[in-house]
Amino acid sequence: MKRLVVALLICAVFLWFVVSGNAEEGKLKVGFIYVGPVGDFGWSYAHDQARQIVEATYPWIETVYVEAVPEGEVEGVIDRLINQEGVDIVVTTSFGFMDGTLAAAQRYPDKIFFHCSGFKRAPNMATYMADFHQVYYLNGIIAGALTKTNKLGYVGAFPIPELKRHINAFTLGARRVNPNAQVLVRWLQTSWYDPAGAKEAAESLIAEGADVLAFTEDSPTVVQVAAEHGLPSFGHYSPMYKFAPDFVVSGQLVHWEAIYLDFFAKVYAGLYTSKNLENVDYWWLLREGAVELGADFGMPINPVFEERLKSTIVNDPVYGEISVYDLVFALLKAMADPEYAFSPFTGPIRDRKGNLRVPEGVRLTMDELITMEWAAEGIVGAWPGEPE
Amino acid sequence: MREPIVRIARRLEPSPEMVFLVSVGSVIFAFLVSGFLFSFLGIFPTEAYRVFLNGAFGSFYALSETIKRMIPLALIGAGLSVSFQASVWNIGAEGQMLIGAIVGAWVALFSHLPSPLLLPAMFILGFLGGAFWGVFAAWCRNKLAINEIITTLMLNYVAANLVLYLILGPWKGKTVRGFAYTDPFPKEAWLATLGATRIPLATLLLAIIAVFVCYLILTKTTLGFELRVVGRGEKAARLAGINIGRVVSFVMFLSGGLAGIAGVGEVSGIHHMLRHPAHISLGYGFTGVIVAWIARANPLGVLASSFLFGALMSGGDALKVSFGIPFQVIYILNGLVLLFLIASDQLLYYRIIFRHGHQDTREEDYGGVVD
């Protein structure tokens, strides 16, 4: 009997060592899974920057990451993160990881899963997204004021609702200050990271007369091509000022850490558990500080373009006679203010086929935003999945 | 004439033990060299080896992941072995696999077959799809005298773009928010997995059967004899009255079909949908060429070489997870293994003789004497 007790004790101590083996005592261990390489200057890079900020901010958190994970392999990588590294929270940062993450969430009901850009949730799986449509609207305003040919070029990776929403916001912004502005669109439809395709698309847009470029793709290629032609462009995802300091006007910057810091703190405090995440869905915008307007952090508009934008005066339906520069900052303030809550998608808005998509005085709901398929007036080019 | 200090002599057929030992030795050498790479990344090499071995073989889970990766490689490698024995250089397994995946996805999503027939139909039609893709290249060679290396390689890109066209166009799912995927397959089209692992049982059995069938075809049938004769020399084969066109068509049919089965296995066993071609094939089609080559085109050897490459993939995953190393490091590691294996070939078929060594093998002398 005595021997049995001793043996059991030894087993218990051993198990305790094994269980608490990897993570440091009392630390929350988080594993990040990226679909791309962290050096892509786009999506995965931005998530990894946020991971580093999180680790530097919270002494009680420890992180690991795995890059360039093929979509079908995500479940195996989650297994390894949990069993090999002993993580408590798994963060999966690609839409294509959705079903694999959900399956893993069901297999590990005590672990917490945080999936970016998807729509499937579980008691232990929350979702999140930092959306740019407000920032694109402001970029559109600037682009509409800068163009001389009235043609803006846009390189998009895939024709999905997210990009359609962003291109629509960009177009609506441009036409607010320049009703003649057109947005010429080229889809890559190859990969989120396709520098060769992006270069080709940017060149062809310029050949067609576009003199301001914006894009959604995970490399700084479009910015570089525009600069070679001496044309202004807008950065995407990470600060792209440094790639063309004289030509990057502004852009969309993300602060994934705003979401991560909030979520992990709530998990650490016990507010979020593996039982109550069914309805936890972050959809964070300017107001929450998850996104930022700028060519670089803290540089909303490149000083090179400041004079030109200050001297361009438009007659705005809301603000009256105002310089484009002031208009951008007025709207930026309005969108960042929780009380004011201006939306670029406030009616009346018609699509390019003439259908009234947003009636007068109505704002689109989040559900309508994330399933958007129509193309706004002023968009030129193919638009796969365009409704009648 | 004075003997040169070093000369190289041809060996006759190397013994199986020799092949095995030299192959294992070269893998070990590759790992020793990669130790420099790990040190350079600030990882203690023995620590990296430990994680790698643990991640590939160290637990039931690790082994199951290795076997999961091994299955498509074994299916493709077995078929390619037969093809390479006939000196038909099919390097289009990547594309044949994707065609299998397309056909399987079509059956799963649009055929509306009752569930007992669904999976068998996916595999049979997927086999025929991959086989068709292979036979087309055989037809080009037989009728138009176009080198099959070119056609099979180019058809890979055609197949990949066909997948892209389908997932972006007509087959784009209704439930995927505009992303480029098909809808998920109905559950009846999912392969059952072995216990708690993610090994699809059906493809595991099919892979083992394929290996043995290919071995029997090569060693026990007239067709196998004929195709080995074709492999050794077309002129001799023609003189012997062997129908070369038929042999080429057959090996392309078989190797393409097995790659097609691998494709069905991936979509119905792992992805449960059709998605971006790069995420489905994961380079299995090209790695399969290496698998068959390292097995010296012996289907039984494919069991070992596909296991080795499955282990490289799953051990590589473990390294990525533990150390957050750049993903390219895994490619370098795989490249080193391959490099050493290829280089070791010279050791198998040639031996270095120093001046004071035995000098009783002059009749085996190889022409290229090195001073």
Side-chain angles (χ1 to χ4, degrees), chain A residues 25-238:
Chain A
E25 194 55 31
K27 275 198 178 187
L28 204 58
K29 190 158 181 179
V30 186
F32 287 76
I33 300 179
Y34 309 132
V35 72
V38 292
D40 66 0
F41 287 107
W43 181 264
S44 297
Y45 172 81
H47 281 281
D48 198 58
Q49 292 293 304
R51 177 189 66 84
Q52 292 172 28
I53 292 171
V54 166
E55 191 160 84
T57 310
Y58 291 152
W60 41 264
I61 230 167
E62 193 188 338
T63 65
V64 288
Y65 75 90
V66 192
E67 66 170 358
V69 173
E71 289 172 356
E73 295 299 319
V74 68
E75 275 188 76
V77 172
I78 292 173
D79 283 336
R80 289 187 191 273
L81 278 171
I82 289 175
N83 300 323
Q84 192 178 317
E85 295 299 305
V87 303
D88 307 294
I89 304 177
V90 175
V91 181
T92 53
T93 61
S94 174
F95 181 84
F97 292 153
M98 180 165 65
D99 290 334
T101 308
L102 186 64
Q106 281 154 0
R107 191 140 29 93
Y108 300 103
D110 298 332
K111 303 289 176 185
I112 287 176
F113 295 83
F114 204 29
H115 176 238
C116 187
S117 77
F119 55 85
K120 293 186 183 169
R121 279 176 291 280
N124 59 336
M125 175 174 166
T127 48
Y128 66 100
M129 184 69 189
D131 196 69
F132 280 141
H133 69 274
Q134 300 167 319
V135 183
Y136 268 106
Y137 185 73
L138 300 175
N139 283 167
I141 290 175
I142 302 170
L146 289 177
T147 177
K148 296 193 182 86
T149 61
N150 290 334
K151 286 179 180 169
L152 313 176
Y154 198 104
V155 179
F158 288 103
I160 58 171
E162 180 191 343
L163 269 70
K164 290 176 177 175
R165 169 172 80 241
H166 292 165
I167 297 171
N168 280 339
F170 186 75
T171 310
L172 291 171
R175 287 166 78 95
R176 177 164 181 159
V177 295
N178 180 353
N180 298 319
Q182 287 185 326
V183 177
L184 317 182
V185 180
R186 288 279 182 288
W187 301 107
L188 300 177
Q189 307 221 23
T190 47
S191 160
W192 290 102
Y193 181 77
D194 180 10
K199 181 167 165 53
E200 205 174 298
E203 294 283 2
S204 89
L205 286 166
I206 293 168
E208 247 183 79
D211 64 348
V212 182
L213 296 189
F215 68 100
T216 309
E217 185 260 345
D218 284 347
S219 79
T221 308
V222 173
V223 159
Q224 288 162 329
V225 172
E228 280 166 26
H229 290 267
L231 297 176
S233 63
F234 293 83
H236 178 65
Y237 242 93
S238 61

Side-chain angles (χ1 to χ4, degrees), chain A residues 37 65-68 70-73 75-76 79-81 84-85 95-96 99 107 119 159-161 189-190 370, chain B residues 55 61 65 68-69 168 175-179 181 198 271 273 275-276 279 282 314 318 320-322 324 326-327:
Chain A
Y65 75 90
V66 192
E67 66 170 358
E71 289 172 356
E73 295 299 319
E75 275 188 76
D79 283 336
R80 289 187 191 273
L81 278 171
Q84 192 178 317
E85 295 299 305
F95 181 84
D99 290 334
R107 191 140 29 93
F119 55 85
I160 58 171
Q189 307 221 23
T190 47
I370 62 179
Chain B
Y61 171 78
E65 281 293 297
K68 185 189 92 186
R69 301 299 193 93
L168 286 162
T175 59
V176 294
R177 302 268 166 116
F179 282 87
Y181 306 94
R198 258 190 299 282
H271 303 285
M273 62 169 73
R275 54 162 38 122
H276 194 284
H279 288 260
L282 297 178
S314 77
K320 267 168 70 174
V321 169
S322 276
F327 70 104

Side-chain angles (χ1 to χ4, degrees), chain B residues 12-327:
Chain B
L12 297 175
E13 205 65 13
S15 66
E17 297 82 36
M18 178 101 188
V19 173
F20 182 75
L21 284 178
V22 168
S23 303
V24 169
S26 36
V27 173
I28 292 174
F29 260 106
F31 269 80
L32 289 180
V33 172
S34 64
F36 289 105
L37 189 67
F38 291 123
S39 323
F40 181 71
L41 290 165
I43 303 162
F44 203 65
T46 53
E47 183 62 11
Y49 302 150
R50 190 187 63 77
V51 168
F52 179 90
L53 292 174
N54 261 334
F57 319 105
S59 62
F60 179 72
Y61 171 78
L63 261 178
S64 79
E65 281 293 297
T66 296
I67 291 170
K68 185 189 92 186
R69 301 299 193 93
M70 168 190 172
I71 290 170
L73 293 174
L75 279 164
I76 293 170
L80 291 183
S81 293
V82 175
S83 160
F84 293 171
Q85 288 274 7
S87 292
V88 174
W89 308 110
N90 173 13
I91 45 176
E94 191 90 354
Q96 291 143 11
M97 180 181 173
L98 289 174
I99 295 297
I102 290 175
V103 173
W106 180 82
V107 175
L109 290 168
F110 306 113
S111 72
H112 305 295
L113 283 173
S115 63
L117 293 178
L118 198 59
L119 277 168
M122 284 168 74
F123 277 101
I124 292 167
L125 293 176
F127 178 93
L128 291 176
F132 165 75
W133 214 241
V135 165
F136 178 68
W139 181 81
C140 288
R141 173 170 154 161
N142 292 337
K143 299 288 172 209
L144 309 172
I146 304 174
N147 186 326
E148 77 279 5
I149 298 179
I150 310 291
T151 42
T152 52
L153 182 66
M154 291 300 152
L155 283 170
N156 288 337
Y157 300 101
V158 177
N161 280 301
L162 195 56
V163 175
L164 271 180
Y165 164 74
L166 290 170
I167 59 177
L168 286 162
W171 290 6
K172 185 192 269 189
K174 305 272 176 290
T175 59
V176 294
R177 302 268 166 116
F179 282 87
Y181 306 94
T182 62
D183 283 324
F185 295 172
K187 289 266 189 214
E188 297 79 41
W190 294 25
L191 281 183
T193 52
L194 192 61
T197 69
R198 258 190 299 282
I199 301 173
L201 184 58
T203 46
L204 177 64
L205 293 176
L206 283 172
I208 294 169
I209 292 170
V211 162
F212 283 99
V213 167
C214 287
Y215 178 74
L216 291 177
I217 287 175
L218 273 175
T219 53
K220 300 278 186 264
T221 65
T222 321
L223 191 59
F225 174 75
E226 285 183 1
L227 71 86
R228 279 185 290 137
V229 174
V230 172
R232 295 296 166 92
E234 275 195 31
K235 269 189 190 153
R238 197 168 286 123
L239 285 174
I242 294 171
N243 182 342
I244 294 173
R246 198 178 66 117
V247 165
V248 172
S249 300
F250 170 74
V251 298
M252 290 302 298
F253 178 84
L254 183 69
S255 55
L258 288 177
I261 284 189
V264 176
E266 291 302 291
V267 291
S268 81
I270 295 180
H271 303 285
H272 309 133
M273 62 169 73
L274 200 60
R275 54 162 38 122
H276 194 284
H279 288 260
I280 293 175
S281 65
L282 297 178
Y284 283 132
F286 293 121
T287 312
V289 173
I290 300 167
V291 162
W293 189 88
I294 285 175
R296 304 211 154 52
N298 176 346
L300 294 185
V302 162
L303 276 183
S305 59
S306 59
F307 185 73
L308 170 71
F309 272 83
L312 278 174
M313 286 175 152
S314 77
D317 273 357
L319 283 175
K320 267 168 70 174
V321 169
S322 276
F323 301 113
I325 50 175
F327 70 104

Side-chain angles (χ1 to χ4, degrees), chain A residues 159 164 353 371-375 382-388, chain B residues 168 172:
Chain A
K164 290 176 177 175
K353 293 187 169 167
T371 54
M372 187 178 288
E373 293 284 1
W374 49 271
W383 197 264
E386 185 170 9
E388 278 310 302
Chain B
L168 286 162
K172 185 192 269 189

